[in-house]
Amino acid sequence: MTTPLAKAAEKAVEELEKNPYYDKYAAKIAQLQKTSPEEFLARVEQKKNKVQSLQSLRKERQFTSLLKPKENIQTGVGAQQVPLDKYMKVETVKDMTADEIKEIWLKYHIQKEVIAATIPAAEYDKMVEQANKIPLFLLPLPRSQGYEFIVLQHHFNTVHFTPLICYQVHKENAPECLTVTNYTEFKDDKGIVLMRGEFDKNTIDAKEAQCLANQLQLYYNQRDPEKLKLMETFTFTPEAFKHQDLIKQIETLSL
């Protein structure tokens, strides 16, 4: 007798078979379906939600128009970083646990037009290590007629994102559509880094800002061989880099 769980898994596989990358992962999919159908369905649902999110982004916004260059450019260590004390009194919370600090940080930002998160120290260290090797990279952002490429650049504890069209024209004076700041005040003793991302609401919205932040983690933290290879190609052999390979990665199903 076929159980409802088995029927759901069979239907999920039928959908997966439509994916051009199915053959590559067929053996892993079959094994996971056999050993843990609940986990298999959970992963399929998670991937489905991500795809739907990308599709909704693609429907909502056109490509960015050329923006004006930044004014009053500042340089140097932390020139544009707002101190953490503006958002959280370090002395007040320094004796709290990591979980308590995390809760305060997220609650403070929940009603504000920014994105925020906490990053485990080990993951942040991996990101910094990779950023030192590859400080500049591209990310695809879904648009109504395809994808728009966004340039990201690491600078000390910040990551600056700007539309490629603006970067090509204005270079270092290109205006950011998103600036992610990582606060490391609690990294050593609490094991967490506080992340805050401010975005230009005339260029992207909160959902798009979160999409870029998620991709930042995927490429700089997870050490996926295919993603690492693409980043290295972009940096060290740019003549071999293909933008379409970047788009394939964001659309590839990976269980």
Side-chain angles (χ1 to χ4, degrees):
M1 181 177 177
T2 304
T3 65
L5 184 62
K7 288 183 179 179
E10 289 176 2
K11 185 176 180 180
V13 171
E14 289 177 2
E15 291 297 317
L16 291 175
E17 288 175 347
K18 300 175 184 178
N19 190 290
Y21 297 92
Y22 174 78
D23 290 342
K24 182 177 179 180
Y25 298 100
K28 291 182 179 179
I29 291 172
Q31 180 64 22
L32 184 60
Q33 182 188 4
K34 180 179 179 181
T35 58
S36 182
E38 294 90 349
E39 182 182 355
F40 169 73
L41 289 175
R43 292 195 185 186
V44 170
E45 186 64 23
Q46 183 181 32
K47 176 58 66 174
K48 181 180 178 181
N49 290 337
K50 288 182 179 180
V51 171
Q52 289 176 342
S53 177
L54 288 172
Q55 290 174 340
S56 67
L57 285 177
R58 185 177 294 170
K59 294 176 182 177
E60 292 175 4
R61 193 184 292 271
Q62 301 293 325
F63 289 88
T64 302
S65 299
L66 182 60
L67 304 174
K68 294 181 179 180
K70 292 186 295 188
E71 298 178 358
N72 301 323
I73 303 302
Q74 293 178 299
T75 58
V77 179
Q80 295 179 322
Q81 179 169 318
V82 178
L84 178 59
D85 271 329
K86 180 178 179 180
Y87 313 116
M88 172 184 284
K89 297 300 181 182
V90 176
E91 284 297 317
T92 303
V93 302
K94 67 178 183 179
D95 294 327
M96 294 183 178
T97 66
D99 287 340
E100 289 172 333
I101 294 173
K102 176 180 179 179
E103 183 178 1
I104 292 172
W105 183 252
L106 296 180
K107 281 186 175 180
Y108 174 81
H109 289 95
I110 195 168
Q111 298 297 332
K112 302 184 183 300
E113 293 185 313
V114 299
I115 59 173
T118 58
I119 306 171
E123 291 188 12
Y124 181 74
D125 286 340
K126 287 196 296 184
M127 184 174 74
V128 171
E129 179 185 358
Q130 188 68 0
N132 288 334
K133 299 175 183 177
I134 303 178
L136 192 74
F137 193 54
L138 282 182
L139 298 177
L141 188 63
R143 290 301 190 221
S144 59
Q145 297 180 346
Y147 288 88
E148 177 173 12
F149 290 101
I150 307 295
V151 178
L152 71 83
Q153 185 168 15
H154 293 264
H155 181 74
F156 297 102
N157 289 340
T158 61
V159 188
H160 303 274
F161 300 76
T162 189
L164 178 59
I165 185 175
C166 300
Y167 183 81
Q168 289 173 326
V169 174
H170 301 305
K171 300 300 181 184
E172 67 275 6
N173 292 337
E176 294 97 350
C177 60
L178 169 66
T179 302
V180 168
T181 303
N182 296 302
Y183 292 98
T184 59
E185 281 83 345
F186 302 110
K187 176 177 174 292
D188 294 332
D189 60 336
K190 307 296 183 182
I192 58 172
V193 173
L194 305 180
M195 184 277 278
R196 174 185 169 96
E198 299 188 33
F199 55 91
D200 178 1
K201 294 182 287 294
N202 295 318
T203 308
I204 62 175
D205 59 24
K207 190 158 49 174
E208 292 164 330
Q210 191 63 59
C211 178
L212 292 173
N214 290 344
Q215 289 191 66
L216 173 66
Q217 299 298 317
L218 287 174
Y219 279 94
Y220 281 85
N221 278 351
Q222 294 195 2
R223 296 295 191 271
D224 177 87
E226 292 186 3
K227 290 182 175 61
L228 287 174
K229 181 179 179 181
L230 191 57
M231 295 174 75
E232 291 170 354
T233 300
F234 175 82
T235 303
F236 304 115
T237 55
E239 67 281 359
F241 178 80
K242 298 179 181 179
H243 291 70
Q244 190 60 36
D245 291 340
L246 197 59
I247 293 174
K248 285 180 181 178
Q249 285 192 353
I250 197 175
E251 293 183 338
T252 298
L253 173 65
S254 178
L255 286 174

PDB file of all heavy atoms in Angstrom, residues 2 24 43 48 74 77 94 99-100 102-103 106 114 140 150 164 172 183 187 190 216 219 227 232:
ATOM      1  N   THR A   2       0.589   2.151  -0.903  1.00  0.00           N
ATOM      2  CA  THR A   2       1.375   3.366  -1.019  1.00  0.00           C
ATOM      3  C   THR A   2       0.913   4.390   0.008  1.00  0.00           C
ATOM      4  O   THR A   2      -0.271   4.721   0.079  1.00  0.00           O
ATOM      5  CB  THR A   2       1.237   3.975  -2.433  1.00  0.00           C
ATOM      6  OG1 THR A   2       1.616   2.993  -3.393  1.00  0.00           O
ATOM      7  CG2 THR A   2       2.123   5.189  -2.574  1.00  0.00           C
ATOM      8  N   LYS A  24      22.525  14.666 -13.018  1.00  0.00           N
ATOM      9  CA  LYS A  24      23.750  14.828 -12.243  1.00  0.00           C
ATOM     10  C   LYS A  24      23.548  14.419 -10.792  1.00  0.00           C
ATOM     11  O   LYS A  24      24.457  13.885 -10.138  1.00  0.00           O
ATOM     12  CB  LYS A  24      24.210  16.286 -12.323  1.00  0.00           C
ATOM     13  CG  LYS A  24      25.504  16.570 -11.579  1.00  0.00           C
ATOM     14  CD  LYS A  24      25.916  18.008 -11.775  1.00  0.00           C
ATOM     15  CE  LYS A  24      27.211  18.315 -11.018  1.00  0.00           C
ATOM     16  NZ  LYS A  24      27.641  19.715 -11.201  1.00  0.00           N
ATOM     17  N   ARG A  43      13.587  19.184   1.895  1.00  0.00           N
ATOM     18  CA  ARG A  43      14.564  19.872   1.041  1.00  0.00           C
ATOM     19  C   ARG A  43      13.928  20.330  -0.268  1.00  0.00           C
ATOM     20  O   ARG A  43      14.220  21.418  -0.769  1.00  0.00           O
ATOM     21  CB  ARG A  43      15.745  18.958   0.757  1.00  0.00           C
ATOM     22  CG  ARG A  43      16.613  18.662   1.967  1.00  0.00           C
ATOM     23  CD  ARG A  43      17.935  18.072   1.546  1.00  0.00           C
ATOM     24  NE  ARG A  43      18.754  17.668   2.674  1.00  0.00           N
ATOM     25  CZ  ARG A  43      19.998  17.235   2.567  1.00  0.00           C
ATOM     26  NH1 ARG A  43      20.557  17.139   1.364  1.00  0.00           N
ATOM     27  NH2 ARG A  43      20.686  16.874   3.631  1.00  0.00           N
ATOM     28  N   LYS A  48      11.846  24.719  -3.498  1.00  0.00           N
ATOM     29  CA  LYS A  48      10.688  25.269  -4.195  1.00  0.00           C
ATOM     30  C   LYS A  48      10.414  26.696  -3.732  1.00  0.00           C
ATOM     31  O   LYS A  48      10.122  27.588  -4.535  1.00  0.00           O
ATOM     32  CB  LYS A  48       9.466  24.391  -3.952  1.00  0.00           C
ATOM     33  CG  LYS A  48       8.197  24.872  -4.652  1.00  0.00           C
ATOM     34  CD  LYS A  48       7.043  23.926  -4.356  1.00  0.00           C
ATOM     35  CE  LYS A  48       5.761  24.415  -5.011  1.00  0.00           C
ATOM     36  NZ  LYS A  48       4.617  23.510  -4.696  1.00  0.00           N
ATOM     37  N   GLN A  74      34.887  59.106   1.012  1.00  0.00           N
ATOM     38  CA  GLN A  74      35.778  58.950   2.153  1.00  0.00           C
ATOM     39  C   GLN A  74      36.641  57.720   1.946  1.00  0.00           C
ATOM     40  O   GLN A  74      36.203  56.742   1.352  1.00  0.00           O
ATOM     41  CB  GLN A  74      34.980  58.783   3.451  1.00  0.00           C
ATOM     42  CG  GLN A  74      34.201  60.034   3.855  1.00  0.00           C
ATOM     43  CD  GLN A  74      33.403  59.783   5.109  1.00  0.00           C
ATOM     44  OE1 GLN A  74      32.537  58.922   5.145  1.00  0.00           O
ATOM     45  NE2 GLN A  74      33.706  60.544   6.153  1.00  0.00           N
ATOM     46  N   VAL A  77      40.504  53.213   6.834  1.00  0.00           N
ATOM     47  CA  VAL A  77      39.906  52.150   7.625  1.00  0.00           C
ATOM     48  C   VAL A  77      38.644  52.643   8.314  1.00  0.00           C
ATOM     49  O   VAL A  77      38.657  53.613   9.061  1.00  0.00           O
ATOM     50  CB  VAL A  77      40.907  51.637   8.674  1.00  0.00           C
ATOM     51  CG1 VAL A  77      40.250  50.547   9.514  1.00  0.00           C
ATOM     52  CG2 VAL A  77      42.165  51.117   8.002  1.00  0.00           C
ATOM     53  N   LYS A  94      27.407  43.576  27.329  1.00  0.00           N
ATOM     54  CA  LYS A  94      28.633  42.775  27.235  1.00  0.00           C
ATOM     55  C   LYS A  94      28.617  41.535  28.132  1.00  0.00           C
ATOM     56  O   LYS A  94      29.321  40.562  27.870  1.00  0.00           O
ATOM     57  CB  LYS A  94      29.859  43.626  27.533  1.00  0.00           C
ATOM     58  CG  LYS A  94      29.943  44.116  28.971  1.00  0.00           C
ATOM     59  CD  LYS A  94      31.219  44.917  29.187  1.00  0.00           C
ATOM     60  CE  LYS A  94      31.347  45.353  30.659  1.00  0.00           C
ATOM     61  NZ  LYS A  94      32.612  46.111  30.872  1.00  0.00           N
ATOM     62  N   ASP A  99      23.028  34.348  22.771  1.00  0.00           N
ATOM     63  CA  ASP A  99      21.626  34.251  22.370  1.00  0.00           C
ATOM     64  C   ASP A  99      20.843  35.497  22.771  1.00  0.00           C
ATOM     65  O   ASP A  99      19.973  35.961  22.023  1.00  0.00           O
ATOM     66  CB  ASP A  99      20.976  33.013  22.992  1.00  0.00           C
ATOM     67  CG  ASP A  99      21.441  31.721  22.340  1.00  0.00           C
ATOM     68  OD1 ASP A  99      21.949  31.784  21.200  1.00  0.00           O
ATOM     69  OD2 ASP A  99      21.299  30.647  22.958  1.00  0.00           O
ATOM     70  N   GLU A 100      21.143  36.036  23.938  1.00  0.00           N
ATOM     71  CA  GLU A 100      20.447  37.243  24.398  1.00  0.00           C
ATOM     72  C   GLU A 100      20.813  38.443  23.524  1.00  0.00           C
ATOM     73  O   GLU A 100      19.948  39.252  23.161  1.00  0.00           O
ATOM     74  CB  GLU A 100      20.795  37.513  25.858  1.00  0.00           C
ATOM     75  CG  GLU A 100      20.182  36.512  26.831  1.00  0.00           C
ATOM     76  CD  GLU A 100      20.695  36.678  28.254  1.00  0.00           C
ATOM     77  OE1 GLU A 100      21.845  37.165  28.429  1.00  0.00           O
ATOM     78  OE2 GLU A 100      19.959  36.324  29.186  1.00  0.00           O
ATOM     79  N   LYS A 102      21.864  38.297  20.427  1.00  0.00           N
ATOM     80  CA  LYS A 102      21.249  38.041  19.123  1.00  0.00           C
ATOM     81  C   LYS A 102      19.787  38.459  19.124  1.00  0.00           C
ATOM     82  O   LYS A 102      19.314  39.110  18.178  1.00  0.00           O
ATOM     83  CB  LYS A 102      21.368  36.551  18.781  1.00  0.00           C
ATOM     84  CG  LYS A 102      20.672  36.154  17.493  1.00  0.00           C
ATOM     85  CD  LYS A 102      20.834  34.661  17.233  1.00  0.00           C
ATOM     86  CE  LYS A 102      20.105  34.256  15.954  1.00  0.00           C
ATOM     87  NZ  LYS A 102      20.264  32.800  15.672  1.00  0.00           N
ATOM     88  N   GLU A 103      19.056  38.099  20.173  1.00  0.00           N
ATOM     89  CA  GLU A 103      17.636  38.439  20.256  1.00  0.00           C
ATOM     90  C   GLU A 103      17.430  39.953  20.274  1.00  0.00           C
ATOM     91  O   GLU A 103      16.551  40.483  19.588  1.00  0.00           O
ATOM     92  CB  GLU A 103      17.023  37.814  21.509  1.00  0.00           C
ATOM     93  CG  GLU A 103      15.515  38.057  21.640  1.00  0.00           C
ATOM     94  CD  GLU A 103      14.928  37.388  22.864  1.00  0.00           C
ATOM     95  OE1 GLU A 103      15.692  36.744  23.625  1.00  0.00           O
ATOM     96  OE2 GLU A 103      13.709  37.512  23.075  1.00  0.00           O
ATOM     97  N   LEU A 106      18.183  41.437  16.678  1.00  0.00           N
ATOM     98  CA  LEU A 106      17.153  41.172  15.678  1.00  0.00           C
ATOM     99  C   LEU A 106      15.866  41.934  15.994  1.00  0.00           C
ATOM    100  O   LEU A 106      15.209  42.447  15.081  1.00  0.00           O
ATOM    101  CB  LEU A 106      16.885  39.671  15.583  1.00  0.00           C
ATOM    102  CG  LEU A 106      18.064  38.827  15.098  1.00  0.00           C
ATOM    103  CD1 LEU A 106      17.694  37.353  15.042  1.00  0.00           C
ATOM    104  CD2 LEU A 106      18.558  39.301  13.734  1.00  0.00           C
ATOM    105  N   VAL A 114      15.940  47.856   7.061  1.00  0.00           N
ATOM    106  CA  VAL A 114      17.286  47.326   6.874  1.00  0.00           C
ATOM    107  C   VAL A 114      17.187  45.808   6.974  1.00  0.00           C
ATOM    108  O   VAL A 114      16.149  45.263   7.352  1.00  0.00           O
ATOM    109  CB  VAL A 114      18.279  47.851   7.941  1.00  0.00           C
ATOM    110  CG1 VAL A 114      18.413  49.363   7.872  1.00  0.00           C
ATOM    111  CG2 VAL A 114      17.830  47.424   9.335  1.00  0.00           C
ATOM    112  N   PRO A 140      24.126  37.629  -9.451  1.00  0.00           N
ATOM    113  CA  PRO A 140      22.962  37.887 -10.305  1.00  0.00           C
ATOM    114  C   PRO A 140      21.725  38.188  -9.462  1.00  0.00           C
ATOM    115  O   PRO A 140      21.440  37.498  -8.486  1.00  0.00           O
ATOM    116  CB  PRO A 140      22.800  36.576 -11.073  1.00  0.00           C
ATOM    117  CG  PRO A 140      23.315  35.534 -10.131  1.00  0.00           C
ATOM    118  CD  PRO A 140      24.389  36.184  -9.302  1.00  0.00           C
ATOM    119  N   ILE A 150      25.211  42.435 -10.061  1.00  0.00           N
ATOM    120  CA  ILE A 150      25.584  43.358  -8.991  1.00  0.00           C
ATOM    121  C   ILE A 150      27.024  43.076  -8.575  1.00  0.00           C
ATOM    122  O   ILE A 150      27.388  41.930  -8.301  1.00  0.00           O
ATOM    123  CB  ILE A 150      24.657  43.192  -7.768  1.00  0.00           C
ATOM    124  CG1 ILE A 150      23.184  43.307  -8.170  1.00  0.00           C
ATOM    125  CG2 ILE A 150      25.019  44.206  -6.686  1.00  0.00           C
ATOM    126  CD1 ILE A 150      22.766  44.668  -8.695  1.00  0.00           C
ATOM    127  N   LEU A 164      26.226  46.649 -11.738  1.00  0.00           N
ATOM    128  CA  LEU A 164      27.383  46.576 -12.634  1.00  0.00           C
ATOM    129  C   LEU A 164      27.458  47.779 -13.564  1.00  0.00           C
ATOM    130  O   LEU A 164      28.538  48.318 -13.809  1.00  0.00           O
ATOM    131  CB  LEU A 164      27.323  45.283 -13.456  1.00  0.00           C
ATOM    132  CG  LEU A 164      28.436  45.076 -14.484  1.00  0.00           C
ATOM    133  CD1 LEU A 164      29.807  45.080 -13.824  1.00  0.00           C
ATOM    134  CD2 LEU A 164      28.207  43.764 -15.246  1.00  0.00           C
ATOM    135  N   GLU A 172      35.268  53.297  -8.455  1.00  0.00           N
ATOM    136  CA  GLU A 172      35.217  53.380  -6.997  1.00  0.00           C
ATOM    137  C   GLU A 172      34.225  54.427  -6.497  1.00  0.00           C
ATOM    138  O   GLU A 172      33.876  54.452  -5.314  1.00  0.00           O
ATOM    139  CB  GLU A 172      36.608  53.681  -6.426  1.00  0.00           C
ATOM    140  CG  GLU A 172      37.162  55.045  -6.769  1.00  0.00           C
ATOM    141  CD  GLU A 172      37.870  55.092  -8.118  1.00  0.00           C
ATOM    142  OE1 GLU A 172      37.823  54.084  -8.842  1.00  0.00           O
ATOM    143  OE2 GLU A 172      38.471  56.130  -8.424  1.00  0.00           O
ATOM    144  N   TYR A 183      29.854  43.819  12.499  1.00  0.00           N
ATOM    145  CA  TYR A 183      30.407  44.306  13.753  1.00  0.00           C
ATOM    146  C   TYR A 183      31.006  43.127  14.524  1.00  0.00           C
ATOM    147  O   TYR A 183      30.320  42.162  14.845  1.00  0.00           O
ATOM    148  CB  TYR A 183      29.318  44.994  14.577  1.00  0.00           C
ATOM    149  CG  TYR A 183      28.838  46.284  13.946  1.00  0.00           C
ATOM    150  CD1 TYR A 183      27.677  46.313  13.180  1.00  0.00           C
ATOM    151  CD2 TYR A 183      29.550  47.469  14.110  1.00  0.00           C
ATOM    152  CE1 TYR A 183      27.237  47.493  12.594  1.00  0.00           C
ATOM    153  CE2 TYR A 183      29.125  48.658  13.526  1.00  0.00           C
ATOM    154  CZ  TYR A 183      27.962  48.661  12.764  1.00  0.00           C
ATOM    155  OH  TYR A 183      27.539  49.832  12.177  1.00  0.00           O
ATOM    156  N   LYS A 187      32.836  39.016  18.674  1.00  0.00           N
ATOM    157  CA  LYS A 187      33.318  37.844  17.950  1.00  0.00           C
ATOM    158  C   LYS A 187      34.157  36.919  18.838  1.00  0.00           C
ATOM    159  O   LYS A 187      33.947  35.699  18.846  1.00  0.00           O
ATOM    160  CB  LYS A 187      34.136  38.277  16.737  1.00  0.00           C
ATOM    161  CG  LYS A 187      34.777  37.141  15.961  1.00  0.00           C
ATOM    162  CD  LYS A 187      35.486  37.687  14.739  1.00  0.00           C
ATOM    163  CE  LYS A 187      36.263  36.605  14.033  1.00  0.00           C
ATOM    164  NZ  LYS A 187      37.411  36.127  14.800  1.00  0.00           N
ATOM    165  N   LYS A 190      31.973  36.074  22.555  1.00  0.00           N
ATOM    166  CA  LYS A 190      30.624  35.524  22.419  1.00  0.00           C
ATOM    167  C   LYS A 190      30.473  34.593  21.208  1.00  0.00           C
ATOM    168  O   LYS A 190      29.502  33.847  21.105  1.00  0.00           O
ATOM    169  CB  LYS A 190      29.585  36.653  22.294  1.00  0.00           C
ATOM    170  CG  LYS A 190      29.643  37.691  23.398  1.00  0.00           C
ATOM    171  CD  LYS A 190      29.306  37.114  24.756  1.00  0.00           C
ATOM    172  CE  LYS A 190      29.316  38.221  25.816  1.00  0.00           C
ATOM    173  NZ  LYS A 190      29.037  37.692  27.171  1.00  0.00           N
ATOM    174  N   LEU A 216      25.825  36.172  -0.865  1.00  0.00           N
ATOM    175  CA  LEU A 216      27.138  36.462  -0.280  1.00  0.00           C
ATOM    176  C   LEU A 216      27.585  35.308   0.613  1.00  0.00           C
ATOM    177  O   LEU A 216      28.739  34.855   0.552  1.00  0.00           O
ATOM    178  CB  LEU A 216      27.064  37.760   0.522  1.00  0.00           C
ATOM    179  CG  LEU A 216      28.310  38.134   1.331  1.00  0.00           C
ATOM    180  CD1 LEU A 216      29.483  38.448   0.409  1.00  0.00           C
ATOM    181  CD2 LEU A 216      28.004  39.319   2.253  1.00  0.00           C
ATOM    182  N   TYR A 219      28.545  32.080  -1.489  1.00  0.00           N
ATOM    183  CA  TYR A 219      29.808  32.086  -2.217  1.00  0.00           C
ATOM    184  C   TYR A 219      31.025  32.227  -1.298  1.00  0.00           C
ATOM    185  O   TYR A 219      32.094  31.706  -1.607  1.00  0.00           O
ATOM    186  CB  TYR A 219      29.818  33.201  -3.259  1.00  0.00           C
ATOM    187  CG  TYR A 219      29.086  32.810  -4.530  1.00  0.00           C
ATOM    188  CD1 TYR A 219      27.751  33.124  -4.708  1.00  0.00           C
ATOM    189  CD2 TYR A 219      29.730  32.065  -5.515  1.00  0.00           C
ATOM    190  CE1 TYR A 219      27.074  32.732  -5.849  1.00  0.00           C
ATOM    191  CE2 TYR A 219      29.067  31.668  -6.658  1.00  0.00           C
ATOM    192  CZ  TYR A 219      27.734  32.002  -6.827  1.00  0.00           C
ATOM    193  OH  TYR A 219      27.061  31.601  -7.941  1.00  0.00           O
ATOM    194  N   LYS A 227      31.262  26.669  -6.922  1.00  0.00           N
ATOM    195  CA  LYS A 227      31.225  28.117  -6.698  1.00  0.00           C
ATOM    196  C   LYS A 227      32.635  28.671  -6.550  1.00  0.00           C
ATOM    197  O   LYS A 227      32.949  29.754  -7.059  1.00  0.00           O
ATOM    198  CB  LYS A 227      30.365  28.434  -5.469  1.00  0.00           C
ATOM    199  CG  LYS A 227      28.872  28.192  -5.688  1.00  0.00           C
ATOM    200  CD  LYS A 227      28.071  28.569  -4.462  1.00  0.00           C
ATOM    201  CE  LYS A 227      26.570  28.438  -4.729  1.00  0.00           C
ATOM    202  NZ  LYS A 227      26.176  27.073  -5.068  1.00  0.00           N
ATOM    203  N   GLU A 232      37.232  31.817  -8.676  1.00  0.00           N
ATOM    204  CA  GLU A 232      38.638  31.853  -9.072  1.00  0.00           C
ATOM    205  C   GLU A 232      38.790  32.194 -10.551  1.00  0.00           C
ATOM    206  O   GLU A 232      39.714  32.924 -10.936  1.00  0.00           O
ATOM    207  CB  GLU A 232      39.294  30.514  -8.747  1.00  0.00           C
ATOM    208  CG  GLU A 232      39.441  30.276  -7.249  1.00  0.00           C
ATOM    209  CD  GLU A 232      39.859  28.851  -6.909  1.00  0.00           C
ATOM    210  OE1 GLU A 232      39.923  28.022  -7.851  1.00  0.00           O
ATOM    211  OE2 GLU A 232      40.113  28.566  -5.724  1.00  0.00           O
TER     212      GLU A 232
END
